[in-house]
Amino acid sequence: MRVFVRLAILPVTPRIVSTTFHPKSHRTSLFGCLLHFPNLSHKGQCSVHRFQSTSALDMAKVNTTDRLSKLRQLMSKHKVDVYIVPSEDAHSSEYIAPCDARRAFISGFTGSAGCAVITHEKAALATDGRYFNQAGNQLDDNWLLLKQGIEDVPTWQEWSADQAQGGKIVAVDPSLLTSGAAKKLSEKIKKNGGKDLEPVAENLVDLVWGSERPPRPNEPVIVLDEKYAGKSVSAKLEELRKELEKKKSLGFVISMLDEIAWLFNLRGSDIPSNPVFFSYAIVTLDEASLYIDSSKLSTECKSFLEQNKVAIKPYQDIFADATTLSKAAAASNTESEEKKKFLISNRASWALKRALGGEDLVEEAKSPLADSKAIKNETELQGMRACHVRDGAALIEYFAWLEDQLVGRNATIDEVEGADKLEALRKKQKDFVGLSFDTISSTGPNAAVIHYKPERGSCAKIDPAAIYLCDSGAQYLDGTTDTTRTLHFGTPTEREIESYTLVLKGNVALDTLVFPKGTTGFAIDVMARQFLWKEGLDYRHGTGHGVGSFLNVHEGPIGIGTRIQYSEVPLSVGNVISNEPGFYEDGSFGIRIENIIMVKEVQTKHKFGDKPYLGFEHVTMVPYCRKLIDPKLLTPSEKQWLNDYNAEIYEKTKGYFENDELTLAWLKRETQPF
């Protein structure tokens, strides 16, 4: 391609499809007991879209007038001038259960990232570049869209503070905002002439939602065998207690759901596609308590926890117990010269910190469990390798089948039918539990919507003459997968070929990068973007996110991108992370290529500064689309890497297709050397 259309936000006329917010149905998978992976929001990026045509982006627009009116009545009752509705739940989860989708309910915007701010006269919704199109189509006339990251557009914090001028009160449910965020916002409000940020424990949106609010999930919890976890609960508790001793801490109060699941080698399904369960935990030097609804726990789970000396306490008791602990600690500190504090994650809620006694008794820090969980042990790494081969086989079979149906048989298949077929193929694989997020099955212009999700009955038919982008993943007992491939089943345009090849070059550049220990994901993001940048192009999302081991498909604290937090944590051996550059031309096509890579130590000729040098091992085993690659744009070393990768894919997956001539022929064709 020689001419690119500039990335732009295109105006689209929406049609009203529904005026109510509906939680989606559940999918189930058997694993000892019944696990539920409801078909809901994906990666912190997925969202609910409804399409009524294949040519325009027509999303459901909810009339929020009545909801806002009721909310404002409650605001008056509580003497609140500005009310904030974050996206997160009480555990700062990126992925939430339907009952916690308060921001989506009040605003009508169903994207996973954003914050709603409501005054008595105005309402604003802030979100980032991934969701500008979606928000613009879903928000009704009651709302102002704050496009975060655009020059001269205020952040939601700045907008809230501006609305508070003249001594007005800003309020929020303190369980939905971190303590650090609350402190900064309070300072900003006061500086702008507002009165303060007030905690209102009774969530006002829940009161508006009323009986229509989905019930709180109460799914069963299972024990993850050590042959998959790779480390015992006792060993993990011992390591955590050593950290508490170093910090001279009274104990660690844990609120992040994936950290609790990882620490106790338990898995659940209270949040769609995420193997976690609603809980809190407190670990001291000599005790460990899990706060959970005990009805979730089987006899096996209870026995397992008892064997590991973990007490089971009611979920709702956490705040009362935290207050009791804080009073005892305050009394002890009065009698002792050494003032000790409780440790909480910097992602713990303002409500939890208040219950523990505030600044005098609480130290906020990056969770020690976050790093431990992100650095996989050898068992977990081997599980990632194994599950990605099986998952790759399912994807290869799917793409071969889809091409045959669309081209060979001239069949009509829509985006959801394609996603259903892929899920069915994954279900055949060993140790499959469920999807790790809703499949992004998108054709033509829908592929340009970064976090598009097709809706059954109203999605587009897959067009063999257009780009097809498939971003999907699964949960297996031995790991979590996340793979994106962009394909074309007809004749791609020159523009599509060049765009794809530029994205591919970025993907390869990151895969082959060697860097000194101590390097962060923030520092290497440019490697994936460099070839697009040379053409004046870019993409509005991060390049990589951490991936859990049979846990959340988005896992902190590591990542590759321009977020400031990615500059705070260096990449370490054992980290598992995605490599997913892309390019999106609104209204036309979208391209993303995503592999999962694992950080490893590499041998170099020299070791400047006596530092080890690191690199990546890719585990995704799915070919790229040959007809979208322009070999003339590849260097000899890139071609060699591509040929080696294709040979590796073929050798590791061909055994799955011994009795499947169609898929084997497709695999041979797509992995031929360049």
Side-chain angles (χ1 to χ4, degrees), residues 8-11 124-137 139 144-156 159 540 586:
I9 304 299
L10 300 180
L125 186 286
T127 191
D128 61 51
R130 296 171 296 169
Y131 297 106
F132 290 168
N133 278 0
Q134 182 182 344
N137 282 277
L139 295 175
L144 168 69
L145 175 58
L146 302 177
K147 296 182 177 181
Q148 304 297 271
I150 300 297
E151 190 175 357
D152 297 328
V153 174
T155 63
W156 67 263
W159 196 84
R540 284 181 172 143
D586 286 357

PDB file of all heavy atoms in Angstrom, residues 8-11 124-137 139 144-156 159 540 586:
ATOM      1  N   ALA A   8      -9.323   7.928  12.210  1.00  0.00           N
ATOM      2  CA  ALA A   8     -10.249   8.998  12.586  1.00  0.00           C
ATOM      3  C   ALA A   8     -11.479   8.412  13.239  1.00  0.00           C
ATOM      4  O   ALA A   8     -11.787   7.246  13.094  1.00  0.00           O
ATOM      5  CB  ALA A   8     -10.668   9.789  11.346  1.00  0.00           C
ATOM      6  N   ILE A   9     -12.190   9.251  13.986  1.00  0.00           N
ATOM      7  CA  ILE A   9     -13.464   8.863  14.565  1.00  0.00           C
ATOM      8  C   ILE A   9     -14.558   9.244  13.569  1.00  0.00           C
ATOM      9  O   ILE A   9     -14.737  10.416  13.250  1.00  0.00           O
ATOM     10  CB  ILE A   9     -13.696   9.578  15.904  1.00  0.00           C
ATOM     11  CG1 ILE A   9     -12.528   9.295  16.859  1.00  0.00           C
ATOM     12  CG2 ILE A   9     -15.025   9.167  16.526  1.00  0.00           C
ATOM     13  CD1 ILE A   9     -12.361   7.830  17.184  1.00  0.00           C
ATOM     14  N   LEU A  10     -15.265   8.260  13.049  1.00  0.00           N
ATOM     15  CA  LEU A  10     -16.271   8.527  12.036  1.00  0.00           C
ATOM     16  C   LEU A  10     -17.649   8.658  12.670  1.00  0.00           C
ATOM     17  O   LEU A  10     -18.017   7.863  13.532  1.00  0.00           O
ATOM     18  CB  LEU A  10     -16.308   7.373  11.023  1.00  0.00           C
ATOM     19  CG  LEU A  10     -14.989   7.119  10.280  1.00  0.00           C
ATOM     20  CD1 LEU A  10     -15.179   5.962   9.309  1.00  0.00           C
ATOM     21  CD2 LEU A  10     -14.528   8.357   9.551  1.00  0.00           C
ATOM     22  N   PRO A  11     -18.429   9.642  12.287  1.00  0.00           N
ATOM     23  CA  PRO A  11     -19.781   9.777  12.835  1.00  0.00           C
ATOM     24  C   PRO A  11     -20.674   8.653  12.338  1.00  0.00           C
ATOM     25  O   PRO A  11     -20.638   8.286  11.176  1.00  0.00           O
ATOM     26  CB  PRO A  11     -20.245  11.135  12.305  1.00  0.00           C
ATOM     27  CG  PRO A  11     -19.453  11.328  11.054  1.00  0.00           C
ATOM     28  CD  PRO A  11     -18.116  10.674  11.285  1.00  0.00           C
ATOM     29  N   ALA A 124     -21.270  13.334  32.890  1.00  0.00           N
ATOM     30  CA  ALA A 124     -20.123  13.131  31.998  1.00  0.00           C
ATOM     31  C   ALA A 124     -19.617  11.702  32.116  1.00  0.00           C
ATOM     32  O   ALA A 124     -19.645  11.105  33.197  1.00  0.00           O
ATOM     33  CB  ALA A 124     -19.007  14.117  32.322  1.00  0.00           C
ATOM     34  N   LEU A 125     -19.171  11.175  30.996  1.00  0.00           N
ATOM     35  CA  LEU A 125     -18.576   9.843  30.951  1.00  0.00           C
ATOM     36  C   LEU A 125     -17.184   9.971  30.364  1.00  0.00           C
ATOM     37  O   LEU A 125     -17.012  10.479  29.254  1.00  0.00           O
ATOM     38  CB  LEU A 125     -19.439   8.906  30.106  1.00  0.00           C
ATOM     39  CG  LEU A 125     -19.115   7.412  29.996  1.00  0.00           C
ATOM     40  CD1 LEU A 125     -17.911   7.126  29.110  1.00  0.00           C
ATOM     41  CD2 LEU A 125     -18.894   6.791  31.381  1.00  0.00           C
ATOM     42  N   ALA A 126     -16.181   9.533  31.121  1.00  0.00           N
ATOM     43  CA  ALA A 126     -14.796   9.580  30.652  1.00  0.00           C
ATOM     44  C   ALA A 126     -14.337   8.179  30.267  1.00  0.00           C
ATOM     45  O   ALA A 126     -14.567   7.219  31.007  1.00  0.00           O
ATOM     46  CB  ALA A 126     -13.896  10.142  31.744  1.00  0.00           C
ATOM     47  N   THR A 127     -13.709   8.058  29.119  1.00  0.00           N
ATOM     48  CA  THR A 127     -13.130   6.779  28.714  1.00  0.00           C
ATOM     49  C   THR A 127     -11.946   7.044  27.794  1.00  0.00           C
ATOM     50  O   THR A 127     -11.709   8.182  27.379  1.00  0.00           O
ATOM     51  CB  THR A 127     -14.172   5.881  28.022  1.00  0.00           C
ATOM     52  OG1 THR A 127     -13.630   4.554  27.880  1.00  0.00           O
ATOM     53  CG2 THR A 127     -14.557   6.411  26.653  1.00  0.00           C
ATOM     54  N   ASP A 128     -11.193   5.981  27.493  1.00  0.00           N
ATOM     55  CA  ASP A 128      -9.983   6.158  26.686  1.00  0.00           C
ATOM     56  C   ASP A 128     -10.236   5.842  25.218  1.00  0.00           C
ATOM     57  O   ASP A 128     -11.346   5.487  24.822  1.00  0.00           O
ATOM     58  CB  ASP A 128      -8.839   5.309  27.248  1.00  0.00           C
ATOM     59  CG  ASP A 128      -9.145   3.820  27.243  1.00  0.00           C
ATOM     60  OD1 ASP A 128      -9.550   3.298  26.180  1.00  0.00           O
ATOM     61  OD2 ASP A 128      -8.982   3.168  28.295  1.00  0.00           O
ATOM     62  N   GLY A 129      -9.170   5.964  24.423  1.00  0.00           N
ATOM     63  CA  GLY A 129      -9.287   5.875  22.973  1.00  0.00           C
ATOM     64  C   GLY A 129      -9.817   4.561  22.444  1.00  0.00           C
ATOM     65  O   GLY A 129     -10.309   4.498  21.313  1.00  0.00           O
ATOM     66  N   ARG A 130      -9.728   3.499  23.228  1.00  0.00           N
ATOM     67  CA  ARG A 130     -10.258   2.220  22.774  1.00  0.00           C
ATOM     68  C   ARG A 130     -11.769   2.277  22.586  1.00  0.00           C
ATOM     69  O   ARG A 130     -12.340   1.492  21.832  1.00  0.00           O
ATOM     70  CB  ARG A 130      -9.935   1.117  23.795  1.00  0.00           C
ATOM     71  CG  ARG A 130      -8.455   0.822  23.973  1.00  0.00           C
ATOM     72  CD  ARG A 130      -8.233  -0.119  25.138  1.00  0.00           C
ATOM     73  NE  ARG A 130      -8.640   0.468  26.409  1.00  0.00           N
ATOM     74  CZ  ARG A 130      -8.745  -0.230  27.552  1.00  0.00           C
ATOM     75  NH1 ARG A 130      -8.515  -1.521  27.561  1.00  0.00           N
ATOM     76  NH2 ARG A 130      -9.096   0.376  28.671  1.00  0.00           N
ATOM     77  N   TYR A 131     -12.413   3.204  23.313  1.00  0.00           N
ATOM     78  CA  TYR A 131     -13.871   3.193  23.390  1.00  0.00           C
ATOM     79  C   TYR A 131     -14.541   4.465  22.890  1.00  0.00           C
ATOM     80  O   TYR A 131     -15.729   4.650  23.112  1.00  0.00           O
ATOM     81  CB  TYR A 131     -14.295   2.959  24.845  1.00  0.00           C
ATOM     82  CG  TYR A 131     -13.863   1.630  25.392  1.00  0.00           C
ATOM     83  CD1 TYR A 131     -12.816   1.547  26.312  1.00  0.00           C
ATOM     84  CD2 TYR A 131     -14.492   0.456  25.001  1.00  0.00           C
ATOM     85  CE1 TYR A 131     -12.421   0.327  26.814  1.00  0.00           C
ATOM     86  CE2 TYR A 131     -14.101  -0.766  25.500  1.00  0.00           C
ATOM     87  CZ  TYR A 131     -13.067  -0.835  26.413  1.00  0.00           C
ATOM     88  OH  TYR A 131     -12.666  -2.041  26.908  1.00  0.00           O
ATOM     89  N   PHE A 132     -13.809   5.353  22.233  1.00  0.00           N
ATOM     90  CA  PHE A 132     -14.423   6.596  21.763  1.00  0.00           C
ATOM     91  C   PHE A 132     -15.616   6.304  20.835  1.00  0.00           C
ATOM     92  O   PHE A 132     -16.680   6.912  20.967  1.00  0.00           O
ATOM     93  CB  PHE A 132     -13.404   7.462  21.020  1.00  0.00           C
ATOM     94  CG  PHE A 132     -12.335   8.059  21.896  1.00  0.00           C
ATOM     95  CD1 PHE A 132     -11.214   8.646  21.331  1.00  0.00           C
ATOM     96  CD2 PHE A 132     -12.446   8.053  23.275  1.00  0.00           C
ATOM     97  CE1 PHE A 132     -10.219   9.217  22.125  1.00  0.00           C
ATOM     98  CE2 PHE A 132     -11.465   8.618  24.073  1.00  0.00           C
ATOM     99  CZ  PHE A 132     -10.348   9.197  23.497  1.00  0.00           C
ATOM    100  N   ASN A 133     -15.436   5.397  19.881  1.00  0.00           N
ATOM    101  CA  ASN A 133     -16.518   5.065  18.959  1.00  0.00           C
ATOM    102  C   ASN A 133     -17.726   4.516  19.702  1.00  0.00           C
ATOM    103  O   ASN A 133     -18.863   4.940  19.490  1.00  0.00           O
ATOM    104  CB  ASN A 133     -16.044   4.032  17.932  1.00  0.00           C
ATOM    105  CG  ASN A 133     -15.289   4.670  16.794  1.00  0.00           C
ATOM    106  OD1 ASN A 133     -15.104   5.882  16.763  1.00  0.00           O
ATOM    107  ND2 ASN A 133     -14.829   3.856  15.861  1.00  0.00           N
ATOM    108  N   GLN A 134     -17.455   3.541  20.559  1.00  0.00           N
ATOM    109  CA  GLN A 134     -18.545   2.881  21.269  1.00  0.00           C
ATOM    110  C   GLN A 134     -19.307   3.855  22.167  1.00  0.00           C
ATOM    111  O   GLN A 134     -20.538   3.881  22.167  1.00  0.00           O
ATOM    112  CB  GLN A 134     -18.008   1.721  22.103  1.00  0.00           C
ATOM    113  CG  GLN A 134     -19.091   0.964  22.835  1.00  0.00           C
ATOM    114  CD  GLN A 134     -18.534  -0.149  23.687  1.00  0.00           C
ATOM    115  OE1 GLN A 134     -17.390  -0.559  23.517  1.00  0.00           O
ATOM    116  NE2 GLN A 134     -19.335  -0.656  24.609  1.00  0.00           N
ATOM    117  N   ALA A 135     -18.560   4.637  22.940  1.00  0.00           N
ATOM    118  CA  ALA A 135     -19.218   5.584  23.845  1.00  0.00           C
ATOM    119  C   ALA A 135     -20.024   6.614  23.073  1.00  0.00           C
ATOM    120  O   ALA A 135     -21.144   6.980  23.462  1.00  0.00           O
ATOM    121  CB  ALA A 135     -18.176   6.276  24.719  1.00  0.00           C
ATOM    122  N   GLY A 136     -19.472   7.093  21.968  1.00  0.00           N
ATOM    123  CA  GLY A 136     -20.180   8.075  21.164  1.00  0.00           C
ATOM    124  C   GLY A 136     -21.500   7.557  20.633  1.00  0.00           C
ATOM    125  O   GLY A 136     -22.442   8.321  20.421  1.00  0.00           O
ATOM    126  N   ASN A 137     -21.587   6.261  20.421  1.00  0.00           N
ATOM    127  CA  ASN A 137     -22.808   5.669  19.900  1.00  0.00           C
ATOM    128  C   ASN A 137     -23.768   5.224  20.995  1.00  0.00           C
ATOM    129  O   ASN A 137     -24.978   5.167  20.769  1.00  0.00           O
ATOM    130  CB  ASN A 137     -22.467   4.474  19.007  1.00  0.00           C
ATOM    131  CG  ASN A 137     -21.990   4.905  17.640  1.00  0.00           C
ATOM    132  OD1 ASN A 137     -22.783   5.187  16.758  1.00  0.00           O
ATOM    133  ND2 ASN A 137     -20.677   4.996  17.476  1.00  0.00           N
ATOM    134  N   LEU A 139     -23.936   6.535  24.342  1.00  0.00           N
ATOM    135  CA  LEU A 139     -24.400   7.578  25.257  1.00  0.00           C
ATOM    136  C   LEU A 139     -25.550   8.371  24.637  1.00  0.00           C
ATOM    137  O   LEU A 139     -25.485   8.761  23.467  1.00  0.00           O
ATOM    138  CB  LEU A 139     -23.253   8.530  25.605  1.00  0.00           C
ATOM    139  CG  LEU A 139     -22.077   7.935  26.390  1.00  0.00           C
ATOM    140  CD1 LEU A 139     -20.971   8.975  26.551  1.00  0.00           C
ATOM    141  CD2 LEU A 139     -22.533   7.426  27.757  1.00  0.00           C
ATOM    142  N   LEU A 144     -22.123  13.978  28.435  1.00  0.00           N
ATOM    143  CA  LEU A 144     -20.956  14.586  27.795  1.00  0.00           C
ATOM    144  C   LEU A 144     -19.856  13.541  27.784  1.00  0.00           C
ATOM    145  O   LEU A 144     -19.559  12.928  28.812  1.00  0.00           O
ATOM    146  CB  LEU A 144     -20.510  15.819  28.590  1.00  0.00           C
ATOM    147  CG  LEU A 144     -19.139  16.418  28.242  1.00  0.00           C
ATOM    148  CD1 LEU A 144     -19.169  17.046  26.855  1.00  0.00           C
ATOM    149  CD2 LEU A 144     -18.729  17.454  29.288  1.00  0.00           C
ATOM    150  N   LEU A 145     -19.242  13.308  26.631  1.00  0.00           N
ATOM    151  CA  LEU A 145     -18.153  12.339  26.519  1.00  0.00           C
ATOM    152  C   LEU A 145     -16.814  13.033  26.709  1.00  0.00           C
ATOM    153  O   LEU A 145     -16.466  13.946  25.953  1.00  0.00           O
ATOM    154  CB  LEU A 145     -18.189  11.643  25.152  1.00  0.00           C
ATOM    155  CG  LEU A 145     -17.040  10.673  24.843  1.00  0.00           C
ATOM    156  CD1 LEU A 145     -16.952   9.567  25.888  1.00  0.00           C
ATOM    157  CD2 LEU A 145     -17.208  10.095  23.437  1.00  0.00           C
ATOM    158  N   LEU A 146     -16.068  12.606  27.723  1.00  0.00           N
ATOM    159  CA  LEU A 146     -14.721  13.122  27.975  1.00  0.00           C
ATOM    160  C   LEU A 146     -13.718  12.141  27.386  1.00  0.00           C
ATOM    161  O   LEU A 146     -13.499  11.061  27.935  1.00  0.00           O
ATOM    162  CB  LEU A 146     -14.485  13.288  29.485  1.00  0.00           C
ATOM    163  CG  LEU A 146     -15.447  14.209  30.243  1.00  0.00           C
ATOM    164  CD1 LEU A 146     -15.112  14.207  31.733  1.00  0.00           C
ATOM    165  CD2 LEU A 146     -15.390  15.626  29.689  1.00  0.00           C
ATOM    166  N   LYS A 147     -13.129  12.510  26.263  1.00  0.00           N
ATOM    167  CA  LYS A 147     -12.183  11.635  25.574  1.00  0.00           C
ATOM    168  C   LYS A 147     -10.811  11.761  26.225  1.00  0.00           C
ATOM    169  O   LYS A 147     -10.051  12.695  25.934  1.00  0.00           O
ATOM    170  CB  LYS A 147     -12.129  11.983  24.083  1.00  0.00           C
ATOM    171  CG  LYS A 147     -13.447  11.737  23.360  1.00  0.00           C
ATOM    172  CD  LYS A 147     -13.329  12.051  21.873  1.00  0.00           C
ATOM    173  CE  LYS A 147     -14.631  11.738  21.148  1.00  0.00           C
ATOM    174  NZ  LYS A 147     -14.533  12.014  19.695  1.00  0.00           N
ATOM    175  N   GLN A 148     -10.502  10.811  27.098  1.00  0.00           N
ATOM    176  CA  GLN A 148      -9.259  10.867  27.852  1.00  0.00           C
ATOM    177  C   GLN A 148      -8.050  10.693  26.941  1.00  0.00           C
ATOM    178  O   GLN A 148      -8.046   9.859  26.029  1.00  0.00           O
ATOM    179  CB  GLN A 148      -9.257   9.798  28.942  1.00  0.00           C
ATOM    180  CG  GLN A 148     -10.455   9.886  29.886  1.00  0.00           C
ATOM    181  CD  GLN A 148     -10.509  11.182  30.675  1.00  0.00           C
ATOM    182  OE1 GLN A 148      -9.944  11.285  31.756  1.00  0.00           O
ATOM    183  NE2 GLN A 148     -11.198  12.181  30.133  1.00  0.00           N
ATOM    184  N   GLY A 149      -7.033  11.503  27.180  1.00  0.00           N
ATOM    185  CA  GLY A 149      -5.824  11.448  26.373  1.00  0.00           C
ATOM    186  C   GLY A 149      -5.813  12.434  25.226  1.00  0.00           C
ATOM    187  O   GLY A 149      -4.771  12.622  24.584  1.00  0.00           O
ATOM    188  N   ILE A 150      -6.956  13.061  24.951  1.00  0.00           N
ATOM    189  CA  ILE A 150      -7.026  14.077  23.900  1.00  0.00           C
ATOM    190  C   ILE A 150      -6.671  15.437  24.507  1.00  0.00           C
ATOM    191  O   ILE A 150      -7.112  15.780  25.602  1.00  0.00           O
ATOM    192  CB  ILE A 150      -8.429  14.138  23.273  1.00  0.00           C
ATOM    193  CG1 ILE A 150      -8.787  12.782  22.658  1.00  0.00           C
ATOM    194  CG2 ILE A 150      -8.511  15.241  22.237  1.00  0.00           C
ATOM    195  CD1 ILE A 150      -7.901  12.348  21.519  1.00  0.00           C
ATOM    196  N   GLU A 151      -5.862  16.184  23.789  1.00  0.00           N
ATOM    197  CA  GLU A 151      -5.390  17.478  24.289  1.00  0.00           C
ATOM    198  C   GLU A 151      -6.569  18.393  24.637  1.00  0.00           C
ATOM    199  O   GLU A 151      -7.553  18.482  23.901  1.00  0.00           O
ATOM    200  CB  GLU A 151      -4.506  18.145  23.225  1.00  0.00           C
ATOM    201  CG  GLU A 151      -3.772  19.384  23.720  1.00  0.00           C
ATOM    202  CD  GLU A 151      -2.819  19.944  22.681  1.00  0.00           C
ATOM    203  OE1 GLU A 151      -2.693  19.327  21.603  1.00  0.00           O
ATOM    204  OE2 GLU A 151      -2.199  20.984  22.951  1.00  0.00           O
ATOM    205  N   ASP A 152      -6.443  19.049  25.786  1.00  0.00           N
ATOM    206  CA  ASP A 152      -7.424  20.026  26.289  1.00  0.00           C
ATOM    207  C   ASP A 152      -8.731  19.402  26.787  1.00  0.00           C
ATOM    208  O   ASP A 152      -9.664  20.117  27.138  1.00  0.00           O
ATOM    209  CB  ASP A 152      -7.752  21.093  25.235  1.00  0.00           C
ATOM    210  CG  ASP A 152      -6.535  21.934  24.872  1.00  0.00           C
ATOM    211  OD1 ASP A 152      -5.683  22.141  25.755  1.00  0.00           O
ATOM    212  OD2 ASP A 152      -6.430  22.357  23.707  1.00  0.00           O
ATOM    213  N   VAL A 153      -8.808  18.085  26.816  1.00  0.00           N
ATOM    214  CA  VAL A 153      -9.980  17.422  27.397  1.00  0.00           C
ATOM    215  C   VAL A 153      -9.644  17.073  28.847  1.00  0.00           C
ATOM    216  O   VAL A 153      -8.657  16.389  29.111  1.00  0.00           O
ATOM    217  CB  VAL A 153     -10.359  16.145  26.623  1.00  0.00           C
ATOM    218  CG1 VAL A 153     -11.499  15.402  27.333  1.00  0.00           C
ATOM    219  CG2 VAL A 153     -10.760  16.484  25.195  1.00  0.00           C
ATOM    220  N   PRO A 154     -10.447  17.525  29.810  1.00  0.00           N
ATOM    221  CA  PRO A 154     -10.123  17.259  31.219  1.00  0.00           C
ATOM    222  C   PRO A 154     -10.284  15.791  31.571  1.00  0.00           C
ATOM    223  O   PRO A 154     -11.083  15.068  30.960  1.00  0.00           O
ATOM    224  CB  PRO A 154     -11.137  18.118  31.981  1.00  0.00           C
ATOM    225  CG  PRO A 154     -12.303  18.246  31.056  1.00  0.00           C
ATOM    226  CD  PRO A 154     -11.705  18.303  29.673  1.00  0.00           C
ATOM    227  N   THR A 155      -9.522  15.348  32.559  1.00  0.00           N
ATOM    228  CA  THR A 155      -9.735  14.017  33.106  1.00  0.00           C
ATOM    229  C   THR A 155     -11.030  14.045  33.915  1.00  0.00           C
ATOM    230  O   THR A 155     -11.553  15.120  34.237  1.00  0.00           O
ATOM    231  CB  THR A 155      -8.583  13.606  34.028  1.00  0.00           C
ATOM    232  OG1 THR A 155      -8.549  14.507  35.163  1.00  0.00           O
ATOM    233  CG2 THR A 155      -7.242  13.678  33.293  1.00  0.00           C
ATOM    234  N   TRP A 156     -11.541  12.869  34.260  1.00  0.00           N
ATOM    235  CA  TRP A 156     -12.776  12.863  35.047  1.00  0.00           C
ATOM    236  C   TRP A 156     -12.538  13.463  36.425  1.00  0.00           C
ATOM    237  O   TRP A 156     -13.437  14.081  37.004  1.00  0.00           O
ATOM    238  CB  TRP A 156     -13.365  11.468  35.151  1.00  0.00           C
ATOM    239  CG  TRP A 156     -12.581  10.451  35.947  1.00  0.00           C
ATOM    240  CD1 TRP A 156     -11.713   9.518  35.471  1.00  0.00           C
ATOM    241  CD2 TRP A 156     -12.632  10.254  37.368  1.00  0.00           C
ATOM    242  NE1 TRP A 156     -11.208   8.756  36.501  1.00  0.00           N
ATOM    243  CE2 TRP A 156     -11.756   9.177  37.672  1.00  0.00           C
ATOM    244  CE3 TRP A 156     -13.310  10.871  38.412  1.00  0.00           C
ATOM    245  CZ2 TRP A 156     -11.558   8.715  38.979  1.00  0.00           C
ATOM    246  CZ3 TRP A 156     -13.113  10.412  39.717  1.00  0.00           C
ATOM    247  CH2 TRP A 156     -12.248   9.351  39.990  1.00  0.00           C
ATOM    248  N   TRP A 159     -12.640  17.243  35.861  1.00  0.00           N
ATOM    249  CA  TRP A 159     -14.017  17.666  35.609  1.00  0.00           C
ATOM    250  C   TRP A 159     -14.824  17.659  36.907  1.00  0.00           C
ATOM    251  O   TRP A 159     -15.607  18.581  37.168  1.00  0.00           O
ATOM    252  CB  TRP A 159     -14.661  16.743  34.572  1.00  0.00           C
ATOM    253  CG  TRP A 159     -15.911  17.298  33.958  1.00  0.00           C
ATOM    254  CD1 TRP A 159     -16.005  18.162  32.900  1.00  0.00           C
ATOM    255  CD2 TRP A 159     -17.260  17.036  34.368  1.00  0.00           C
ATOM    256  NE1 TRP A 159     -17.322  18.451  32.622  1.00  0.00           N
ATOM    257  CE2 TRP A 159     -18.117  17.771  33.508  1.00  0.00           C
ATOM    258  CE3 TRP A 159     -17.832  16.253  35.372  1.00  0.00           C
ATOM    259  CZ2 TRP A 159     -19.503  17.745  33.633  1.00  0.00           C
ATOM    260  CZ3 TRP A 159     -19.216  16.222  35.494  1.00  0.00           C
ATOM    261  CH2 TRP A 159     -20.035  16.962  34.633  1.00  0.00           C
ATOM    262  N   ARG A 540      -4.262   2.717  19.374  1.00  0.00           N
ATOM    263  CA  ARG A 540      -4.676   3.308  20.646  1.00  0.00           C
ATOM    264  C   ARG A 540      -4.909   2.248  21.723  1.00  0.00           C
ATOM    265  O   ARG A 540      -5.966   2.191  22.338  1.00  0.00           O
ATOM    266  CB  ARG A 540      -5.958   4.122  20.445  1.00  0.00           C
ATOM    267  CG  ARG A 540      -5.741   5.451  19.766  1.00  0.00           C
ATOM    268  CD  ARG A 540      -7.062   6.186  19.646  1.00  0.00           C
ATOM    269  NE  ARG A 540      -6.887   7.547  19.172  1.00  0.00           N
ATOM    270  CZ  ARG A 540      -7.709   8.164  18.348  1.00  0.00           C
ATOM    271  NH1 ARG A 540      -8.774   7.526  17.892  1.00  0.00           N
ATOM    272  NH2 ARG A 540      -7.504   9.403  17.974  1.00  0.00           N
ATOM    273  N   ASP A 586     -10.748   3.108  10.855  1.00  0.00           N
ATOM    274  CA  ASP A 586     -12.169   3.136  11.200  1.00  0.00           C
ATOM    275  C   ASP A 586     -13.051   3.075   9.961  1.00  0.00           C
ATOM    276  O   ASP A 586     -12.814   3.747   8.966  1.00  0.00           O
ATOM    277  CB  ASP A 586     -12.498   4.400  12.000  1.00  0.00           C
ATOM    278  CG  ASP A 586     -11.986   4.339  13.425  1.00  0.00           C
ATOM    279  OD1 ASP A 586     -11.429   3.290  13.789  1.00  0.00           O
ATOM    280  OD2 ASP A 586     -12.148   5.323  14.163  1.00  0.00           O
TER     281      ASP A 586
END
